Amino acid sequence: MTMNDIYIHAKNLVYAYREEDGLKMPVLHGISLDIKRGEYVAVLGHNGSGKSTFAKLLNMILEPESGELVVAGRDLCSPELTEDDLFALRREVGMVFQNPDNQLVATIVEEDVAFGPENLGVPPAEIRKRVDEALETVGMTAYARHEPHRLSGGQKQRIAIAGVLAMRPSCVILDEATAMLDPVGRREVIETVERLNREAGMTVITITHYMNEAARADRVVVIDDGRILMDGTPREVFSQPEKLMAAGLDVPQCTALVHALSEEGISLKGTPITTEECADLICRALEEKKNGNRNA
Amino acid sequence: MKLILSILYIVCTFLCKNVLSFALLLLSAVLLLLISRIPPRIVLRSLRALLFVMLFTAVLNLLFTKGETELFAFWRIHVYVEGVYSAVFMLVRIMVLILSTSLFLTYTTTPIALTDAIESLLSPLRVVHLPVHEFAMMMTIALRFIPTLMEETDKIMNAQKARGVDFSSGGLIKRAKALIPILIPLFISAFRRADELAMAMECRCYRGGKGRTKMRVSHLHASDFVALLMMVLFGAAVLYLNRLGLFYTL
C-alpha cells in the first residue's frame, strides 16, 4: 500500500472536551487507524464511545489534542494550517448529520443544495449544473422546487447528501445520519451512499449503531471508550459477539440467532451477516441433517 | 425591483386625497389583480383576515371626524359627511394596501427572491460596515425554521397536555402562565438547533458573504423599467388628481 492510497491516517489521536471549570474530559485515548481511498467503513460504538467525536475531528470541526492526523494529504496537526486549508478540507470531506431539520439552510430544496458551492464561490452557471447533477444522483430531481419541511426524513437526508455532493467531495461522512429515520428512509439513505461508494469510488465513513447497516460496509471499526476495540471485515467483527456485547453493542439479529443456536449445541458453519445468508445456512444445515438421518 | 415598486405603490396609497384619486387607486388594484391571475378566492380570504381591523378603523373614522355638514345625530353621536368620506377612504386604503403587498410580495415572489432583493437593496449600506449579507442570511434561516418551530410548538403543547397542563381555561393571566412550559422547552430546542445548524453550515464551507456567489442572479429587464415608469406615472396622476380638488378633499 503506497502513501497515496491512504486517505485518512490517524495515529495516537487524543481528544478531550473542556468542561466549564477548566477540567478536561478525555474522549479519545489514542486512536490509530488508516482508511484507504474508496473504502466503505462503518464506525460502531455505543453512546458516548467517542465515535462522533472521531468523525468531527476528520473535518476539523474539533481540533485534536495530540497525535497525528492526515486527511486527504493534509496534515491537520501542523501549526501552519491556514483557514483556506481548512475550507479546502471541508470541501473534500462532506458531512451529513443526525437531525435532517437542523442542517438544511434554505427554504427551497435546490437553493439548499446550492448553498455549499455558493460558499465556495463557484460561478452561477456551474452551480446550476452541479445542483442538477447532485439532485439527479440522490434521485430527488422531481423535488427541486419543494420546501424542505414538507419532505420525509429520508428525503431530507438525501437532500443533505446532495448538498454535500454539490461541493464535489472525495469523502462523505454520515454522522448517525440514519438514526432519526424510519426504516424506509434509512434504506433510501444507505442505498444512496452505497451507490456513491461503488459507482463514484467515493470514500464513505458511516457512524452508526445499527448493526445491519454496519454489516453492509467493507470494513467495521468498533470504538469503545475512546479506543479502537475491533477492526476488520463485518464477518470478522460479528463472529465475536461476546466482545461486541461487552462494548454495549448488539450483533445483527441473524448473527445473534446462529450464536444462540451454537450455545444450544447446534453449531452451524460460518458467521452470516445478512438475513439471506442466514436463511441459506440454516436450510443447508437442515438438509444435511435430513440426509444424515436417512443414512443412519 | 419589485420591492421598490411595491414600496412606491404603498406611498401612492397614502398620497391619495380625493374621490377621483381613490377611484384611480381602486381601478389600478383591480387591474393588477386581473393581470396576476391569482384566484379571487385566495385574495378574498386574505382580506377577510383583516376585516375586523378594517371595520374598526372605518367606524372610528365615521364617529370621530368632525366636519361642518352634519348628516344626522343620534343621542350624543354626531355623524358628519366628512366622517363618512374619511371612513370610506380609510377602508379603501387599507384594502388596497393589503391587496398590493400580498400581490407584489407574498403571492408572486418566493421568499428567497425576497431576501435576495433586500440584500441587494441594502448593499449600499455595506460601505458603512452594516452586515447586510448576514442580515439576509438571518432572514432566510428564519423563514426556513418557521414551519419547523411551529411543528415543534405543537409537539411540546401535546406533550404538556398529556401531562395535564390546561391551556384552554382560566383567565388571561392564567393562560399566559400556562404558556411558560411551552416556551422554555421551545427556546432550549431552538438554541440546540441553532448550534447544530451553525456546525452544519461550517461543514459546508460557510464563511460569511466574503467570496460568495449565487446560483440565481437576477437581472433587470426592460420590462422592469417599463413597470417603474408606469409606477411613476401613476404617482404623478394621483398627485394631479389631488390638486384638481374636485368633490371632496380630505
Side-chain angles (χ1 to χ4, degrees), chain A residues 209-238:
Chain A
H209 52 246
Y210 288 107
M211 297 304 135
N212 293 334
E213 257 173 63
R216 300 173 72 145
D218 298 335
R219 177 176 167 196
V220 177
V221 175
V222 181
I223 294 185
D224 184 39
D225 198 20
R227 289 184 186 84
I228 291 184
L229 185 72
M230 294 157 96
D231 183 355
T233 62
R235 209 172 297 278
E236 284 164 15
V237 169
F238 293 135

PDB file of all heavy atoms in Angstrom, chain A residues 209-238:
ATOM      1  N   HIS A 209     -25.184   3.097  14.966  1.00  0.00           N
ATOM      2  CA  HIS A 209     -25.280   1.992  15.905  1.00  0.00           C
ATOM      3  C   HIS A 209     -26.279   0.947  15.427  1.00  0.00           C
ATOM      4  O   HIS A 209     -26.738   0.123  16.205  1.00  0.00           O
ATOM      5  CB  HIS A 209     -25.542   2.462  17.340  1.00  0.00           C
ATOM      6  CG  HIS A 209     -26.710   3.387  17.468  1.00  0.00           C
ATOM      7  ND1 HIS A 209     -26.558   4.684  17.842  1.00  0.00           N
ATOM      8  CD2 HIS A 209     -28.006   3.196  17.233  1.00  0.00           C
ATOM      9  CE1 HIS A 209     -27.736   5.267  17.853  1.00  0.00           C
ATOM     10  NE2 HIS A 209     -28.642   4.381  17.487  1.00  0.00           N
ATOM     11  N   TYR A 210     -26.599   1.008  14.143  1.00  0.00           N
ATOM     12  CA  TYR A 210     -27.411  -0.049  13.559  1.00  0.00           C
ATOM     13  C   TYR A 210     -26.497  -1.126  12.984  1.00  0.00           C
ATOM     14  O   TYR A 210     -25.735  -0.855  12.069  1.00  0.00           O
ATOM     15  CB  TYR A 210     -28.316   0.492  12.456  1.00  0.00           C
ATOM     16  CG  TYR A 210     -29.438   1.323  12.972  1.00  0.00           C
ATOM     17  CD1 TYR A 210     -29.447   2.689  12.817  1.00  0.00           C
ATOM     18  CD2 TYR A 210     -30.497   0.719  13.650  1.00  0.00           C
ATOM     19  CE1 TYR A 210     -30.474   3.459  13.308  1.00  0.00           C
ATOM     20  CE2 TYR A 210     -31.527   1.484  14.146  1.00  0.00           C
ATOM     21  CZ  TYR A 210     -31.518   2.838  13.969  1.00  0.00           C
ATOM     22  OH  TYR A 210     -32.538   3.600  14.461  1.00  0.00           O
ATOM     23  N   MET A 211     -26.616  -2.328  13.524  1.00  0.00           N
ATOM     24  CA  MET A 211     -25.722  -3.401  13.100  1.00  0.00           C
ATOM     25  C   MET A 211     -25.953  -3.768  11.640  1.00  0.00           C
ATOM     26  O   MET A 211     -25.020  -4.073  10.914  1.00  0.00           O
ATOM     27  CB  MET A 211     -25.953  -4.643  13.954  1.00  0.00           C
ATOM     28  CG  MET A 211     -25.641  -4.411  15.389  1.00  0.00           C
ATOM     29  SD  MET A 211     -23.954  -3.835  15.570  1.00  0.00           S
ATOM     30  CE  MET A 211     -24.206  -2.513  16.715  1.00  0.00           C
ATOM     31  N   ASN A 212     -27.217  -3.745  11.214  1.00  0.00           N
ATOM     32  CA  ASN A 212     -27.499  -4.169   9.848  1.00  0.00           C
ATOM     33  C   ASN A 212     -26.862  -3.230   8.825  1.00  0.00           C
ATOM     34  O   ASN A 212     -26.503  -3.644   7.737  1.00  0.00           O
ATOM     35  CB  ASN A 212     -29.006  -4.237   9.609  1.00  0.00           C
ATOM     36  CG  ASN A 212     -29.616  -5.350  10.427  1.00  0.00           C
ATOM     37  OD1 ASN A 212     -28.937  -6.318  10.764  1.00  0.00           O
ATOM     38  ND2 ASN A 212     -30.887  -5.203  10.770  1.00  0.00           N
ATOM     39  N   GLU A 213     -26.730  -1.967   9.235  1.00  0.00           N
ATOM     40  CA  GLU A 213     -26.066  -1.016   8.353  1.00  0.00           C
ATOM     41  C   GLU A 213     -24.580  -1.304   8.288  1.00  0.00           C
ATOM     42  O   GLU A 213     -23.977  -1.296   7.220  1.00  0.00           O
ATOM     43  CB  GLU A 213     -26.243   0.384   8.920  1.00  0.00           C
ATOM     44  CG  GLU A 213     -27.284   1.177   8.210  1.00  0.00           C
ATOM     45  CD  GLU A 213     -27.515   2.475   8.946  1.00  0.00           C
ATOM     46  OE1 GLU A 213     -26.579   3.288   9.049  1.00  0.00           O
ATOM     47  OE2 GLU A 213     -28.627   2.648   9.443  1.00  0.00           O
ATOM     48  N   ALA A 214     -24.004  -1.546   9.451  1.00  0.00           N
ATOM     49  CA  ALA A 214     -22.566  -1.803   9.517  1.00  0.00           C
ATOM     50  C   ALA A 214     -22.220  -3.058   8.724  1.00  0.00           C
ATOM     51  O   ALA A 214     -21.165  -3.152   8.100  1.00  0.00           O
ATOM     52  CB  ALA A 214     -22.135  -1.953  10.967  1.00  0.00           C
ATOM     53  N   ALA A 215     -23.145  -4.040   8.725  1.00  0.00           N
ATOM     54  CA  ALA A 215     -22.886  -5.307   8.045  1.00  0.00           C
ATOM     55  C   ALA A 215     -22.711  -5.118   6.541  1.00  0.00           C
ATOM     56  O   ALA A 215     -22.102  -5.951   5.883  1.00  0.00           O
ATOM     57  CB  ALA A 215     -24.029  -6.276   8.310  1.00  0.00           C
ATOM     58  N   ARG A 216     -23.223  -4.000   6.017  1.00  0.00           N
ATOM     59  CA  ARG A 216     -23.134  -3.791   4.567  1.00  0.00           C
ATOM     60  C   ARG A 216     -21.837  -3.124   4.154  1.00  0.00           C
ATOM     61  O   ARG A 216     -21.535  -3.006   2.969  1.00  0.00           O
ATOM     62  CB  ARG A 216     -24.312  -2.935   4.102  1.00  0.00           C
ATOM     63  CG  ARG A 216     -25.645  -3.601   4.406  1.00  0.00           C
ATOM     64  CD  ARG A 216     -26.780  -2.679   4.112  1.00  0.00           C
ATOM     65  NE  ARG A 216     -26.958  -2.506   2.671  1.00  0.00           N
ATOM     66  CZ  ARG A 216     -28.153  -2.355   2.112  1.00  0.00           C
ATOM     67  NH1 ARG A 216     -29.241  -2.409   2.844  1.00  0.00           N
ATOM     68  NH2 ARG A 216     -28.247  -2.169   0.827  1.00  0.00           N
ATOM     69  N   ALA A 217     -21.056  -2.652   5.123  1.00  0.00           N
ATOM     70  CA  ALA A 217     -19.816  -1.946   4.798  1.00  0.00           C
ATOM     71  C   ALA A 217     -18.694  -2.923   4.442  1.00  0.00           C
ATOM     72  O   ALA A 217     -18.813  -4.128   4.646  1.00  0.00           O
ATOM     73  CB  ALA A 217     -19.403  -1.084   5.983  1.00  0.00           C
ATOM     74  N   ASP A 218     -17.592  -2.366   3.873  1.00  0.00           N
ATOM     75  CA  ASP A 218     -16.428  -3.201   3.571  1.00  0.00           C
ATOM     76  C   ASP A 218     -15.682  -3.536   4.852  1.00  0.00           C
ATOM     77  O   ASP A 218     -15.017  -4.550   4.961  1.00  0.00           O
ATOM     78  CB  ASP A 218     -15.432  -2.432   2.675  1.00  0.00           C
ATOM     79  CG  ASP A 218     -16.032  -2.059   1.346  1.00  0.00           C
ATOM     80  OD1 ASP A 218     -16.962  -2.754   0.923  1.00  0.00           O
ATOM     81  OD2 ASP A 218     -15.568  -1.070   0.746  1.00  0.00           O
ATOM     82  N   ARG A 219     -15.778  -2.620   5.809  1.00  0.00           N
ATOM     83  CA  ARG A 219     -14.940  -2.736   6.991  1.00  0.00           C
ATOM     84  C   ARG A 219     -15.687  -2.138   8.174  1.00  0.00           C
ATOM     85  O   ARG A 219     -16.409  -1.160   8.022  1.00  0.00           O
ATOM     86  CB  ARG A 219     -13.659  -1.944   6.729  1.00  0.00           C
ATOM     87  CG  ARG A 219     -12.692  -1.892   7.860  1.00  0.00           C
ATOM     88  CD  ARG A 219     -11.469  -1.157   7.363  1.00  0.00           C
ATOM     89  NE  ARG A 219     -10.593  -0.790   8.451  1.00  0.00           N
ATOM     90  CZ  ARG A 219      -9.621   0.109   8.335  1.00  0.00           C
ATOM     91  NH1 ARG A 219      -9.424   0.722   7.180  1.00  0.00           N
ATOM     92  NH2 ARG A 219      -8.855   0.391   9.343  1.00  0.00           N
ATOM     93  N   VAL A 220     -15.522  -2.756   9.317  1.00  0.00           N
ATOM     94  CA  VAL A 220     -16.190  -2.266  10.524  1.00  0.00           C
ATOM     95  C   VAL A 220     -15.134  -1.943  11.565  1.00  0.00           C
ATOM     96  O   VAL A 220     -14.232  -2.741  11.821  1.00  0.00           O
ATOM     97  CB  VAL A 220     -17.170  -3.322  11.085  1.00  0.00           C
ATOM     98  CG1 VAL A 220     -17.797  -2.823  12.378  1.00  0.00           C
ATOM     99  CG2 VAL A 220     -18.250  -3.635  10.071  1.00  0.00           C
ATOM    100  N   VAL A 221     -15.228  -0.743  12.131  1.00  0.00           N
ATOM    101  CA  VAL A 221     -14.328  -0.351  13.204  1.00  0.00           C
ATOM    102  C   VAL A 221     -15.188  -0.143  14.441  1.00  0.00           C
ATOM    103  O   VAL A 221     -16.173   0.592  14.393  1.00  0.00           O
ATOM    104  CB  VAL A 221     -13.582   0.959  12.852  1.00  0.00           C
ATOM    105  CG1 VAL A 221     -12.742   1.424  14.028  1.00  0.00           C
ATOM    106  CG2 VAL A 221     -12.730   0.775  11.611  1.00  0.00           C
ATOM    107  N   VAL A 222     -14.858  -0.828  15.527  1.00  0.00           N
ATOM    108  CA  VAL A 222     -15.634  -0.669  16.748  1.00  0.00           C
ATOM    109  C   VAL A 222     -14.848   0.185  17.719  1.00  0.00           C
ATOM    110  O   VAL A 222     -13.696  -0.124  18.034  1.00  0.00           O
ATOM    111  CB  VAL A 222     -15.956  -2.033  17.391  1.00  0.00           C
ATOM    112  CG1 VAL A 222     -16.791  -1.832  18.649  1.00  0.00           C
ATOM    113  CG2 VAL A 222     -16.697  -2.911  16.400  1.00  0.00           C
ATOM    114  N   ILE A 223     -15.453   1.285  18.142  1.00  0.00           N
ATOM    115  CA  ILE A 223     -14.788   2.150  19.117  1.00  0.00           C
ATOM    116  C   ILE A 223     -15.501   1.989  20.453  1.00  0.00           C
ATOM    117  O   ILE A 223     -16.729   2.016  20.517  1.00  0.00           O
ATOM    118  CB  ILE A 223     -14.836   3.626  18.659  1.00  0.00           C
ATOM    119  CG1 ILE A 223     -13.994   3.794  17.399  1.00  0.00           C
ATOM    120  CG2 ILE A 223     -14.332   4.543  19.757  1.00  0.00           C
ATOM    121  CD1 ILE A 223     -13.871   5.222  16.924  1.00  0.00           C
ATOM    122  N   ASP A 224     -14.720   1.763  21.493  1.00  0.00           N
ATOM    123  CA  ASP A 224     -15.312   1.663  22.827  1.00  0.00           C
ATOM    124  C   ASP A 224     -14.474   2.491  23.783  1.00  0.00           C
ATOM    125  O   ASP A 224     -13.250   2.318  23.842  1.00  0.00           O
ATOM    126  CB  ASP A 224     -15.363   0.198  23.278  1.00  0.00           C
ATOM    127  CG  ASP A 224     -16.072   0.082  24.607  1.00  0.00           C
ATOM    128  OD1 ASP A 224     -17.074   0.793  24.814  1.00  0.00           O
ATOM    129  OD2 ASP A 224     -15.602  -0.695  25.458  1.00  0.00           O
ATOM    130  N   ASP A 225     -15.117   3.372  24.504  1.00  0.00           N
ATOM    131  CA  ASP A 225     -14.449   4.191  25.498  1.00  0.00           C
ATOM    132  C   ASP A 225     -13.211   4.890  24.928  1.00  0.00           C
ATOM    133  O   ASP A 225     -12.144   4.916  25.543  1.00  0.00           O
ATOM    134  CB  ASP A 225     -14.068   3.306  26.697  1.00  0.00           C
ATOM    135  CG  ASP A 225     -13.773   4.157  27.917  1.00  0.00           C
ATOM    136  OD1 ASP A 225     -14.226   5.308  27.941  1.00  0.00           O
ATOM    137  OD2 ASP A 225     -13.075   3.674  28.821  1.00  0.00           O
ATOM    138  N   GLY A 226     -13.338   5.433  23.735  1.00  0.00           N
ATOM    139  CA  GLY A 226     -12.261   6.218  23.147  1.00  0.00           C
ATOM    140  C   GLY A 226     -11.100   5.421  22.594  1.00  0.00           C
ATOM    141  O   GLY A 226     -10.058   5.982  22.274  1.00  0.00           O
ATOM    142  N   ARG A 227     -11.254   4.107  22.503  1.00  0.00           N
ATOM    143  CA  ARG A 227     -10.200   3.278  21.924  1.00  0.00           C
ATOM    144  C   ARG A 227     -10.789   2.384  20.845  1.00  0.00           C
ATOM    145  O   ARG A 227     -11.968   2.062  20.886  1.00  0.00           O
ATOM    146  CB  ARG A 227      -9.562   2.388  23.003  1.00  0.00           C
ATOM    147  CG  ARG A 227      -8.718   3.152  23.973  1.00  0.00           C
ATOM    148  CD  ARG A 227      -8.029   2.222  24.959  1.00  0.00           C
ATOM    149  NE  ARG A 227      -7.331   3.008  25.963  1.00  0.00           N
ATOM    150  CZ  ARG A 227      -7.904   3.514  27.064  1.00  0.00           C
ATOM    151  NH1 ARG A 227      -9.179   3.267  27.304  1.00  0.00           N
ATOM    152  NH2 ARG A 227      -7.215   4.245  27.903  1.00  0.00           N
ATOM    153  N   ILE A 228      -9.920   1.954  19.932  1.00  0.00           N
ATOM    154  CA  ILE A 228     -10.406   1.025  18.922  1.00  0.00           C
ATOM    155  C   ILE A 228     -10.411  -0.380  19.508  1.00  0.00           C
ATOM    156  O   ILE A 228      -9.388  -0.881  19.966  1.00  0.00           O
ATOM    157  CB  ILE A 228      -9.543   1.084  17.652  1.00  0.00           C
ATOM    158  CG1 ILE A 228      -9.783   2.428  16.969  1.00  0.00           C
ATOM    159  CG2 ILE A 228      -9.902  -0.060  16.704  1.00  0.00           C
ATOM    160  CD1 ILE A 228      -9.089   2.595  15.673  1.00  0.00           C
ATOM    161  N   LEU A 229     -11.586  -0.982  19.516  1.00  0.00           N
ATOM    162  CA  LEU A 229     -11.725  -2.292  20.132  1.00  0.00           C
ATOM    163  C   LEU A 229     -11.561  -3.376  19.081  1.00  0.00           C
ATOM    164  O   LEU A 229     -10.908  -4.386  19.316  1.00  0.00           O
ATOM    165  CB  LEU A 229     -13.110  -2.382  20.778  1.00  0.00           C
ATOM    166  CG  LEU A 229     -13.417  -3.630  21.580  1.00  0.00           C
ATOM    167  CD1 LEU A 229     -12.642  -3.608  22.879  1.00  0.00           C
ATOM    168  CD2 LEU A 229     -14.910  -3.705  21.871  1.00  0.00           C
ATOM    169  N   MET A 230     -12.187  -3.188  17.944  1.00  0.00           N
ATOM    170  CA  MET A 230     -12.123  -4.179  16.875  1.00  0.00           C
ATOM    171  C   MET A 230     -12.019  -3.454  15.543  1.00  0.00           C
ATOM    172  O   MET A 230     -12.467  -2.325  15.401  1.00  0.00           O
ATOM    173  CB  MET A 230     -13.389  -5.036  16.870  1.00  0.00           C
ATOM    174  CG  MET A 230     -13.537  -5.890  18.107  1.00  0.00           C
ATOM    175  SD  MET A 230     -15.251  -6.314  18.353  1.00  0.00           S
ATOM    176  CE  MET A 230     -15.294  -7.900  17.607  1.00  0.00           C
ATOM    177  N   ASP A 231     -11.435  -4.140  14.579  1.00  0.00           N
ATOM    178  CA  ASP A 231     -11.257  -3.540  13.260  1.00  0.00           C
ATOM    179  C   ASP A 231     -11.132  -4.682  12.267  1.00  0.00           C
ATOM    180  O   ASP A 231     -10.225  -5.494  12.390  1.00  0.00           O
ATOM    181  CB  ASP A 231      -9.996  -2.655  13.274  1.00  0.00           C
ATOM    182  CG  ASP A 231      -9.783  -1.940  11.949  1.00  0.00           C
ATOM    183  OD1 ASP A 231     -10.543  -2.194  11.000  1.00  0.00           O
ATOM    184  OD2 ASP A 231      -8.865  -1.117  11.877  1.00  0.00           O
ATOM    185  N   GLY A 232     -12.043  -4.772  11.340  1.00  0.00           N
ATOM    186  CA  GLY A 232     -11.957  -5.859  10.368  1.00  0.00           C
ATOM    187  C   GLY A 232     -13.164  -5.874   9.462  1.00  0.00           C
ATOM    188  O   GLY A 232     -13.973  -4.948   9.489  1.00  0.00           O
ATOM    189  N   THR A 233     -13.311  -6.960   8.684  1.00  0.00           N
ATOM    190  CA  THR A 233     -14.493  -7.064   7.835  1.00  0.00           C
ATOM    191  C   THR A 233     -15.691  -7.322   8.744  1.00  0.00           C
ATOM    192  O   THR A 233     -15.518  -7.790   9.878  1.00  0.00           O
ATOM    193  CB  THR A 233     -14.359  -8.237   6.859  1.00  0.00           C
ATOM    194  OG1 THR A 233     -14.267  -9.438   7.624  1.00  0.00           O
ATOM    195  CG2 THR A 233     -13.128  -8.110   5.983  1.00  0.00           C
ATOM    196  N   PRO A 234     -16.900  -7.035   8.258  1.00  0.00           N
ATOM    197  CA  PRO A 234     -18.075  -7.279   9.098  1.00  0.00           C
ATOM    198  C   PRO A 234     -18.090  -8.712   9.635  1.00  0.00           C
ATOM    199  O   PRO A 234     -18.439  -8.960  10.787  1.00  0.00           O
ATOM    200  CB  PRO A 234     -19.241  -7.024   8.146  1.00  0.00           C
ATOM    201  CG  PRO A 234     -18.713  -6.126   7.109  1.00  0.00           C
ATOM    202  CD  PRO A 234     -17.245  -6.406   6.984  1.00  0.00           C
ATOM    203  N   ARG A 235     -17.684  -9.681   8.782  1.00  0.00           N
ATOM    204  CA  ARG A 235     -17.729 -11.082   9.186  1.00  0.00           C
ATOM    205  C   ARG A 235     -16.783 -11.342  10.361  1.00  0.00           C
ATOM    206  O   ARG A 235     -17.147 -12.004  11.330  1.00  0.00           O
ATOM    207  CB  ARG A 235     -17.352 -11.971   7.998  1.00  0.00           C
ATOM    208  CG  ARG A 235     -17.988 -13.336   8.009  1.00  0.00           C
ATOM    209  CD  ARG A 235     -17.714 -14.070   6.726  1.00  0.00           C
ATOM    210  NE  ARG A 235     -18.300 -13.405   5.568  1.00  0.00           N
ATOM    211  CZ  ARG A 235     -19.578 -13.533   5.218  1.00  0.00           C
ATOM    212  NH1 ARG A 235     -20.390 -14.298   5.922  1.00  0.00           N
ATOM    213  NH2 ARG A 235     -20.055 -12.908   4.163  1.00  0.00           N
ATOM    214  N   GLU A 236     -15.585 -10.757  10.264  1.00  0.00           N
ATOM    215  CA  GLU A 236     -14.614 -10.949  11.343  1.00  0.00           C
ATOM    216  C   GLU A 236     -15.132 -10.354  12.640  1.00  0.00           C
ATOM    217  O   GLU A 236     -15.050 -10.957  13.708  1.00  0.00           O
ATOM    218  CB  GLU A 236     -13.284 -10.263  10.983  1.00  0.00           C
ATOM    219  CG  GLU A 236     -12.451 -11.021   9.972  1.00  0.00           C
ATOM    220  CD  GLU A 236     -11.368 -10.138   9.352  1.00  0.00           C
ATOM    221  OE1 GLU A 236     -11.086  -9.053   9.913  1.00  0.00           O
ATOM    222  OE2 GLU A 236     -10.854 -10.521   8.313  1.00  0.00           O
ATOM    223  N   VAL A 237     -15.687  -9.135  12.521  1.00  0.00           N
ATOM    224  CA  VAL A 237     -16.115  -8.435  13.728  1.00  0.00           C
ATOM    225  C   VAL A 237     -17.325  -9.121  14.361  1.00  0.00           C
ATOM    226  O   VAL A 237     -17.358  -9.358  15.572  1.00  0.00           O
ATOM    227  CB  VAL A 237     -16.435  -6.955  13.409  1.00  0.00           C
ATOM    228  CG1 VAL A 237     -17.128  -6.287  14.578  1.00  0.00           C
ATOM    229  CG2 VAL A 237     -15.159  -6.221  13.049  1.00  0.00           C
ATOM    230  N   PHE A 238     -18.291  -9.511  13.533  1.00  0.00           N
ATOM    231  CA  PHE A 238     -19.522 -10.071  14.100  1.00  0.00           C
ATOM    232  C   PHE A 238     -19.369 -11.517  14.549  1.00  0.00           C
ATOM    233  O   PHE A 238     -20.273 -12.067  15.169  1.00  0.00           O
ATOM    234  CB  PHE A 238     -20.676  -9.937  13.103  1.00  0.00           C
ATOM    235  CG  PHE A 238     -21.067  -8.519  12.859  1.00  0.00           C
ATOM    236  CD1 PHE A 238     -21.290  -8.044  11.583  1.00  0.00           C
ATOM    237  CD2 PHE A 238     -21.200  -7.650  13.935  1.00  0.00           C
ATOM    238  CE1 PHE A 238     -21.639  -6.721  11.375  1.00  0.00           C
ATOM    239  CE2 PHE A 238     -21.538  -6.329  13.729  1.00  0.00           C
ATOM    240  CZ  PHE A 238     -21.749  -5.862  12.448  1.00  0.00           C
TER     241      PHE A 238
END
